[in-house]
Amino acid sequence: MRDKVDRARAFYIRARQQNDEEFFVEALASYRDMLDVIGDPRDAGDEQADLRSLWPRAILGAARCGYEVTGDLGEALHLLDDAESWCHEVDLADELIAVQGQRGLLLLRAGDVSGALAELDRAAPAQSTVVSRDTAIVLLNRGALHLEVGAVDDARRDLGASVEHARTVGDVSIEAKGRHNLGYAEFLHGDLPLALRLMDEASELDPSDEDAVGLLDRAVVLQEAGLVTEAVAVLERATSILDQSGSLADLARVRFDIARCLLHLRQTERAAELAGEAKSAFHSQSNVVWALRSELVRQEALLAGLSKSAAPDDFREVARNAGEIAEKAREMPPVLVGVPARVLQAEAYVRAGDVARARGALEAVTSSPRSWSLAVRIQREAVRAMVAFGDGDRRRGLAAIRRGQEALVSHRSRLGSVDVVTASAVHGVRLGIVDVDAAFRTGRASAVFDAVERGRAAFAGTGRVRPATDPVLAELLASARREVEAARGLGTAAEAGALEERQLHLGAARRFQEEARRRMWQRTGDDSRPRPTSERSLRRALSALPSGPTVANIVIHEGHVSAVRVSQDGASIVRLAPLDVVAELVRRARADFAVLSNALIPAPMRLAATSSLRKVLVRLDDALLGPLQVVGDLHVTARDLLLAVPWMSLPSRAGARTWVNSWVDLQVEAETERPGGVVVVSGPGLLASDEETRLVARAWGGATLLTGADATCHNVVESLDGAGVVHLAAHGTHETDNPLFSSLRLTDGPLFAHELDGIDLSGAVVVLSACEVGLSSVRTGGEPLGLTSVLVRLGARAVIASIAPLRDDVAARGMPRLHAELARGATPGDALARAISVEDEPVPLVCFGPLVA
């Protein structure tokens, strides 16, 4: 008889491990084997009392795994009813808690929130006084339910108790899940860095337990942070786990979450397709709530895919469908379905031109926005603005825009990493489009200028200055650097062995880089809130100057490049050129610069490339600057591909001061002064860098020169702290897919942009004598990110960098001239203009920085 109990326990241990690892098909088979061994528990005598308590354990496990594999909720609940009856019959208190808790979990998985809460309340002992693994699980699941409906305080209470119970009974897996969910609670509370930190700590507590549900939660947090492509990568990892375990509910959830991410990435057709698949899967599992949520995402994708010129009936159809979803969700927590459905309905009606019905849909939203996601809060304010603008009430529309912007700024102020600050701009896209569209309809330059700058300023600047020392992060970056250098040390040999080894080193470098990125996301902000510059304040500042610059605030709107031209004489909207024309000219200019950067090309080819480039630059000049009729200094603010324009090489700007930024960061001259020395750095592998840096240092007299063994990443980072001027002559690389790992090559390897995040560069002038590090990658939402943009965000008065390959001999001639001008007191823009004006070929250097008045 004892052998029978031992066999049943062995199957139970195996089944529970498979269940915890989410191998539900295998776990279901093990639970059934366990039931076969036990047989009818009523046949067991007193000497087999253990079998009486093991039988309900097997039943509840079979119910859970059966639901995950088949989606048959009715059969699972029927099994649990049998188990509960048995627990009452033979007075099994602990097992009864487990059965009731399992029923609550299944109801939660099926979307029956109220039923799940009632069952979990019944299962959770009063004041959580019974300490056991079963109680820890019940509290964990009830905490997860509170998270589902946005009851963060209740969730924290239950999850904290679950963690304590799990720690007491020594169950690391449950403790890790509780800590992970506490991270999700912080996410709902609005603290994304803390949420990610707690989730990472949970993973470290139980590294073997990378479960799909935890990955789904992490993906939601990443999506809210704006790290949408990273969220998709996490969801794909969850899919690979779920494909093995066979959990239909979680596979459906993955489709749902990927669909939401694709909406941000504007892949509307695929988003609608995946949301439809998720809806069908949830229907098959009797999960009404998640089926409605999936249909809502599908309708949102259909609406996003409609052009402005679509027929009104197409918009009305989406509105009707969203309204039906809201009606079906009347008995559900509003935050899950009802609120976003009504907001979507209102947006569809206003786009159909039916403002009255849109207003009615918004008025039907009565729940408090405290528990809403950031995306839904922003969407509601955007739709409120659309309704107000549709009514002709611009004051009310702007009030809604400002409320939305304030939510964005408050969210951004909690973020301490440039990476996450720029990524979070994804949430401002819709609000910005509504604001700018309405401004253009007024025809007033001031309205357009203010609308553009409201959106840009929300995510400008870094989130934090001078972070605390993090030795783990430092070691991750050093490890990535070592791997890159090991790959470089293998040279360019094409032998299979060398290629394979080089790829292994580069793969290891990428893994260290990604881990470093994840750690950087955990930084909290310092509540800094950049203020947008208005057209009125800009004109007031320009009028106080003897000869103020012209500001060209360039914006892409409805497929065309336009600009708000602001000077002491006033402001006007100037239509420039079609976007596709400008994009093609920028591409051709970069191609010609790439040819000219090769010192080995024959003279005839160089002459042909120079001729071609000059013609392209003339056309760019005619398209972008000709209509603006600028005389004197020019400050350009722009986003997207316009940051890759070689502005100082355009013919009309020859010898004239020109500088560029991604927003109108208006500063006072006295505030930008930075006392400090001059640091000059020479990296390895450049033919003329030693001579270039020697001449640059000579231009300043007492400069600190870092060359050879002294030109290390650590020394350079340390030197940035007190320097007023920094010159870096090194090989540069812009990483398009991972811009914060754009780098400069120093003696001990690449100095990554990530290593500069958090340094205070207020007022410094930084010159990057390197290829292409003036480029930036544009995040969804328009935020530029790269080595130069990081330096500007950290407060640099000016960053002079190249937006195309820069030939060594051009840098060796031009950089000493540039620094000689700076040493004589010239502004960075003037110094660069004079330094490159004497070159026979166009030079792709650009001066980036704020507008100093």
Side-chain angles (χ1 to χ4, degrees):
M1 292 297 181
R2 191 71 242 169
D3 178 60
K4 191 173 185 179
V5 173
D6 291 342
R7 287 165 55 209
R9 284 191 183 282
F11 278 125
Y12 179 53
I13 292 170
R14 183 170 72 185
R16 202 174 81 178
Q17 181 178 355
Q18 292 165 333
N19 186 14
D20 288 345
E21 294 175 354
E22 297 188 350
F23 291 108
F24 295 119
V25 173
E26 294 83 351
L28 180 59
S30 296
Y31 281 123
R32 286 173 174 167
D33 289 339
M34 181 180 171
L35 288 168
D36 289 341
V37 169
I38 295 172
D40 188 342
R42 292 171 180 81
D43 295 337
D46 292 339
E47 72 279 6
Q48 294 177 284
D50 287 344
L51 292 180
R52 296 178 182 178
S53 62
L54 283 171
W55 186 80
R57 299 282 182 183
I59 289 294
L60 69 89
R64 161 78 191 279
C65 296
Y67 174 73
E68 298 294 352
V69 172
T70 67
D72 190 338
L73 179 64
E75 174 62 21
L77 294 178
H78 176 70
L79 288 173
L80 292 176
D81 289 342
D82 288 346
E84 182 168 354
S85 297
W86 177 249
C87 291
H88 284 298
E89 183 178 333
V90 296
D91 194 22
L92 298 172
D94 288 345
E95 284 72 16
L96 179 60
I97 291 175
V99 170
Q100 292 170 341
Q102 191 68 270
R103 186 185 286 111
L105 174 62
L106 291 183
L107 291 172
L108 177 60
R109 299 278 286 161
D112 184 354
V113 176
S114 58
L117 181 58
E119 199 64 29
L120 291 169
D121 283 344
R122 194 159 66 98
Q127 304 302 317
S128 306
T129 54
V130 177
V131 178
S132 68
R133 183 178 190 271
D134 292 321
T135 307
I137 292 173
V138 168
L139 290 167
L140 175 70
N141 290 335
R142 193 170 67 175
L145 184 150
H146 290 313
L147 292 177
E148 186 86 4
V149 298
V152 178
D153 291 338
D154 291 338
R156 283 170 166 164
R157 182 197 64 229
D158 278 351
L159 294 170
S162 175
V163 167
E164 289 302 317
H165 283 229
R167 186 187 297 118
T168 300
V169 300
D171 194 310
V172 173
S173 176
I174 299 302
E175 182 184 353
K177 286 181 170 65
R179 289 186 179 279
H180 172 92
N181 283 356
L182 282 170
Y184 197 84
E186 294 304 327
F187 153 67
L188 292 179
H189 189 63
D191 194 337
L192 292 176
L194 179 56
L196 291 168
R197 184 160 64 250
L198 290 173
M199 288 182 173
D200 282 349
E201 288 174 358
S203 297
E204 291 169 6
L205 182 65
D206 188 8
S208 64
D209 188 30
E210 186 181 52
D211 66 296
V213 174
L215 291 173
L216 286 169
D217 290 344
R218 180 180 288 275
V220 171
V221 176
L222 291 175
Q223 182 182 347
E224 187 82 353
L227 296 159
V228 183
T229 55
E230 292 81 357
V232 171
V234 170
L235 290 168
E236 289 172 348
R237 197 158 80 240
T239 301
S240 67
I241 295 173
L242 295 170
D243 283 340
Q244 300 176 46
S245 68
S247 173
L248 298 179
D250 289 332
L251 279 169
R253 173 70 188 278
V254 167
R255 293 191 187 96
F256 170 86
D257 283 327
I258 292 179
R260 292 178 65 215
C261 290
L262 294 180
L263 272 175
H264 285 305
L265 298 173
R266 302 171 193 173
Q267 299 178 31
T268 56
E269 290 186 11
R270 181 57 178 156
E273 181 183 343
L274 282 174
E277 292 175 5
K279 174 187 173 182
S280 298
F282 284 127
H283 264 311
S284 70
Q285 299 157 38
S286 306
N287 192 329
V288 179
V289 172
W290 280 92
L292 286 174
R293 294 183 76 177
S294 300
E295 175 59 18
L296 185 59
V297 171
R298 194 177 79 86
Q299 292 298 324
E300 189 174 355
L302 293 175
L303 180 63
L306 293 173
S307 67
K308 287 187 176 182
S309 59
D313 283 347
D314 293 333
F315 295 112
R316 291 194 185 97
E317 182 178 358
V318 173
R320 284 192 296 270
N321 292 337
E324 289 176 5
I325 292 170
E327 288 299 317
K328 292 176 182 177
R330 274 184 175 275
E331 303 304 317
M332 301 171 188
V335 68
L336 295 180
V337 182
V339 168
R342 289 300 185 193
V343 173
L344 181 66
Q345 181 186 30
E347 180 176 356
Y349 272 135
V350 78
R351 290 183 64 184
D354 196 337
V355 177
R357 285 188 175 179
R359 192 183 310 108
L362 285 177
E363 290 170 354
V365 177
T366 57
S367 89
S368 168
R370 286 186 60 194
S371 59
W372 301 0
S373 71
L374 177 67
V376 173
R377 281 184 282 145
I378 297 304
Q379 184 184 11
R380 183 177 73 157
E381 296 303 341
V383 177
R384 278 177 163 178
M386 292 168 73
V387 170
F389 290 141
D391 282 335
D393 190 341
R394 184 161 174 79
R395 181 186 297 271
R396 188 160 51 91
L398 289 178
I401 293 292
R402 291 191 178 100
R403 284 193 300 271
Q405 293 287 359
E406 175 54 32
L408 288 170
V409 171
S410 177
H411 165 78
R412 166 249 187 273
S413 69
R414 298 186 180 99
L415 308 175
S417 162
V418 168
D419 198 4
V420 184
V421 168
T422 54
S424 62
V426 68
H427 296 297
V429 173
R430 186 179 314 214
L431 201 65
I433 290 173
V434 172
D435 197 6
V436 172
D437 280 350
F440 266 101
R441 287 197 297 272
T442 69
R444 300 200 311 270
S446 60
V448 175
F449 183 97
D450 291 353
V452 169
E453 288 307 304
R454 270 193 295 269
R456 289 176 176 174
F459 302 99
T462 187
R464 161 177 198 154
V465 171
R466 184 43 64 193
T469 301
D470 184 346
V472 176
L473 178 61
E475 180 53 36
L476 288 170
L477 293 169
S479 297
R481 183 164 26 253
R482 285 193 293 268
E483 295 293 342
V484 171
E485 284 303 286
R488 192 192 313 277
L490 293 170
T492 57
E495 291 83 2
L499 286 173
E500 183 178 355
E501 188 176 355
R502 188 157 54 244
Q503 288 306 311
L504 287 173
H505 284 299
L506 292 176
R510 282 191 294 272
R511 288 191 293 274
F512 284 125
Q513 289 171 352
E514 284 306 309
E515 193 172 345
R517 279 189 78 204
R518 289 194 296 272
R519 196 165 184 89
M520 293 283 282
W521 298 339
Q522 298 172 8
R523 288 182 173 177
T524 54
D526 58 5
D527 202 31
S528 61
R529 299 173 181 235
R531 293 183 177 276
T533 299
S534 68
E535 182 267 349
R536 177 180 295 179
S537 63
L538 174 60
R539 280 200 296 114
R540 186 166 55 244
L542 295 179
S543 65
L545 300 174
S547 177
T550 298
V551 176
N553 196 342
I554 299 182
V555 59
I556 298 170
H557 183 249
E558 296 185 341
H560 213 89
V561 182
S562 298
V564 179
R565 183 189 189 280
V566 184
S567 69
Q568 293 175 330
D569 299 328
S572 59
I573 300 173
V574 183
R575 192 171 172 87
L576 301 179
L579 175 60
D580 56 352
V581 172
V582 174
E584 174 60 18
L585 290 172
V586 171
R587 185 197 65 78
R588 289 175 57 185
R590 282 184 49 76
D592 287 337
F593 272 125
V595 173
L596 290 178
S597 69
N598 186 348
L600 301 179
I601 63 170
M605 187 178 294
R606 181 178 304 285
L607 288 173
T610 302
S611 175
S612 171
L613 177 58
R614 291 193 187 282
K615 291 175 182 177
V616 169
L617 294 177
V618 167
R619 292 184 61 189
L620 268 174
D621 202 3
D622 291 343
L624 297 176
L625 295 184
L628 294 174
Q629 299 181 349
V630 178
V631 177
D633 294 347
L634 171 65
H635 180 67
V636 177
T637 58
R639 293 285 178 91
D640 301 301
L641 63 87
L642 294 163
L643 286 174
V645 171
W647 293 99
M648 301 194 75
S649 296
L650 300 184
S652 69
R653 302 309 301 161
R657 181 187 180 201
T658 309
W659 72 112
V660 183
N661 203 7
S662 60
W663 66 300
V664 180
D665 182 11
L666 182 59
Q667 299 184 7
V668 179
E669 177 73 39
E671 295 176 350
T672 66
E673 295 177 0
R674 179 182 174 106
V678 177
V679 176
V680 182
V681 181
S682 175
L686 292 175
L687 295 177
S689 64
D690 287 345
E691 178 66 10
E692 173 189 331
T693 52
R694 186 182 63 79
L695 292 173
V696 166
R698 179 188 295 175
W700 289 99
T704 298
L705 185 59
L706 298 177
T707 62
D710 292 329
T712 64
C713 297
H714 172 79
N715 287 347
V716 170
V717 170
E718 288 296 309
S719 74
L720 290 174
D721 243 354
V725 176
V726 179
H727 180 87
L728 293 157
H731 281 295
T733 303
H734 175 71
E735 295 289 344
T736 303
D737 296 329
N738 201 346
L740 277 179
F741 282 99
S742 298
S743 62
L744 295 169
R745 186 186 170 202
L746 299 177
T747 299
D748 56 343
L751 173 66
F752 303 117
H754 255 305
E755 296 175 83
L756 307 177
D757 190 355
I759 294 175
D760 184 1
L761 291 177
S762 301
V765 175
V766 183
V767 181
L768 302 177
S769 181
C771 290
E772 298 190 308
V773 288
L775 290 175
S776 57
S777 297
V778 178
R779 284 259 167 84
T780 303
E783 288 301 304
L785 191 58
L787 180 58
T788 295
S789 72
V790 167
L791 294 169
V792 173
R793 281 176 171 273
L794 296 176
R797 178 190 178 196
V799 179
I800 293 172
S802 179
I803 51 85
L806 181 67
R807 206 166 64 246
D808 289 356
D809 65 300
V810 175
R813 289 193 303 271
M815 292 302 176
R817 290 196 297 264
L818 166 68
H819 282 275
E821 294 287 345
L822 289 173
R824 283 193 287 268
T827 67
D830 281 325
L832 179 60
R834 294 167 191 165
I836 66 175
S837 63
V838 297
E839 288 291 323
D840 293 333
E841 301 171 0
V843 179
L845 288 167
V846 175
C847 181
F848 297 91
L851 175 58
V852 180

